Amino acid sequence: MKKLLLLATAAGIALVAAGSANAADLGVRPAYKGPPPMLAPVPWSWTGFYIGAHVGGGWGTKETFDSGFIDPIFAGKAHGSSSVTGFLGGFQAGYNYQISWVVVGIDGDFSFADVKGSRIDDGFFENGGLNVKTDWFATLTGRIGGAVDHALLYVKGGVAWADDKFGVNCAFCTLVSAPDQTRTGWTVGAGIEYAFTPSWSGKIEYDFMDFGTHRSGTFLCSGECFSSFDFDLRQRVNVVKAGLNYRFNWGKGKAPIVASY
C-alpha cells in the first residue's frame, strides 16, 4: 500500500513539473498597449508667397470744380458730376503669415481698366462736356484676417493709384491737347478667400478708392474759347474683383508626424 502511495505522489509531481515547463516554453502574453501609431494630419496654414489674376468691375463718381484759373472769384464752385462704370482685370501678388488663426500679409495688384465717365454738361464747357477715363488702377495694401480651416476672411488698407485721361467737348472750340495724370489716393477693402486645393485658392473682394481732389492740368484749345484752362477733379471709385491665386510651398495635407497614445 505504501508503495502505491509513493508511486502516485511521484507521478503527480512529474505531471506538475511538465506543465510548468510547457508554460515556460510558451512565454508570458504581453500587456495590451492600444492601436499602432498613426499619421496625424498637418494643420492647414496660409503662410507663403502667392501670385494670381483677377477680373471685375468698377463704378463711382467724378466731380469737377472751378480752379480759379480764369477768375479767382469762382474758385471751388462745383460744375457737375459724372458717373463712371467699366470693367477691369489684372494681376496680384503677395505674402501671408499665419499665427494661430490670425493671418497677416502684404498684397499688391495692378488692373488694366476701361472705367469711363459720362459727359458732364454745364456752362463751364460752353454747353459741351468733360469725358473722363481711367486706364489702370494699382494698389499696395496690408492685410489682416482670420482663418477658419480652408477659408480666410480679411480686411485690407493702403495706397492706391489711377491713371486718368481727359477729353473736353466744346460747342465753340476745338480741343488741341488734354493732359493725362496718375493720381495717388488711399483704399480700404474686405474679402473672402477659399483654398480648394493644396495650391489654389479663389477670392471675392470689394475695394473703395478715394483719390481726393486734384488739379486737372492745363488744357490747350483753339477757337472761340480761352487759349488754356484747367479745373479741379474729385473722384471716388468702388471695385469688385473675383480672383484666383497660386501659392508656393503650400502644405500637402499629410506628413510623417506620429500621434501619441
Side-chain angles (χ1 to χ4, degrees):
M1 184 68 181
K2 291 181 178 180
K3 291 182 178 180
L4 291 175
L5 183 59
L6 291 173
L7 289 174
T9 302
I13 293 172
L15 289 173
V16 171
S20 299
N22 289 335
D25 291 340
L26 291 174
V28 179
R29 183 178 180 182
Y32 179 70
K33 296 183 178 181
M38 298 177 63
L39 296 180
V42 175
W44 191 268
S45 174
W46 286 89
T47 298
F49 292 94
Y50 62 88
I51 59 173
H54 63 266
V55 294
W59 72 97
T61 58
K62 303 199 179 193
E63 301 171 89
T64 57
F65 300 86
D66 196 316
S67 66
F69 183 90
I70 300 171
D71 190 338
I73 295 177
F74 297 103
K77 179 181 181 296
H79 293 296
S81 64
S82 171
S83 297
V84 294
T85 57
F87 297 98
L88 56 89
F91 308 93
Q92 69 269 354
Y95 178 79
N96 290 322
Y97 185 75
Q98 184 167 348
I99 307 170
S100 183
W101 59 271
V102 178
V103 180
V104 296
I106 187 170
D107 180 89
D109 65 23
F110 183 92
S111 303
F112 299 99
D114 187 25
V115 179
K116 299 177 181 179
S118 60
R119 178 168 157 165
I120 305 170
D121 292 312
D122 55 44
F124 182 76
F125 294 113
E126 300 288 344
N127 298 318
L130 170 68
N131 298 318
V132 292
K133 177 184 177 183
T134 301
D135 283 336
W136 56 260
F137 295 101
T139 66
L140 180 63
T141 59
R143 300 203 309 175
I144 184 169
V148 183
D149 193 24
H150 292 193
L152 172 64
L153 284 76
Y154 62 88
V155 294
K156 59 186 291 188
V159 185
W161 297 270
D163 184 69
D164 289 331
K165 290 185 176 180
F166 305 96
V168 174
N169 300 319
C170 298
F172 306 107
C173 63
T174 302
L175 183 66
V176 176
S177 63
D180 296 352
Q181 283 194 340
T182 299
R183 304 293 184 101
T184 302
W186 55 270
T187 180
V188 293
I192 181 171
E193 189 168 355
Y194 185 81
F196 49 86
T197 76
S199 295
W200 292 95
S201 63
K203 71 172 185 176
I204 297 177
E205 180 178 296
Y206 165 79
D207 299 317
F208 172 78
M209 292 180 279
D210 190 329
F211 297 99
T213 303
H214 297 276
R215 191 62 47 84
S216 67
T218 302
F219 284 83
L220 301 175
C221 61
S222 62
E224 296 181 25
C225 65
F226 299 100
S227 60
S228 63
F229 63 90
D230 61 23
F231 53 87
D232 292 333
L233 183 72
R234 182 171 66 193
Q235 56 181 324
R236 300 179 178 91
V237 181
N238 304 274
V239 171
V240 171
K241 296 179 286 191
L244 188 67
N245 285 330
Y246 175 83
R247 204 189 75 181
F248 301 94
N249 300 321
W250 202 288
K252 299 301 180 183
K254 295 285 185 179
I257 298 177
V258 177
S260 60
Y261 292 92

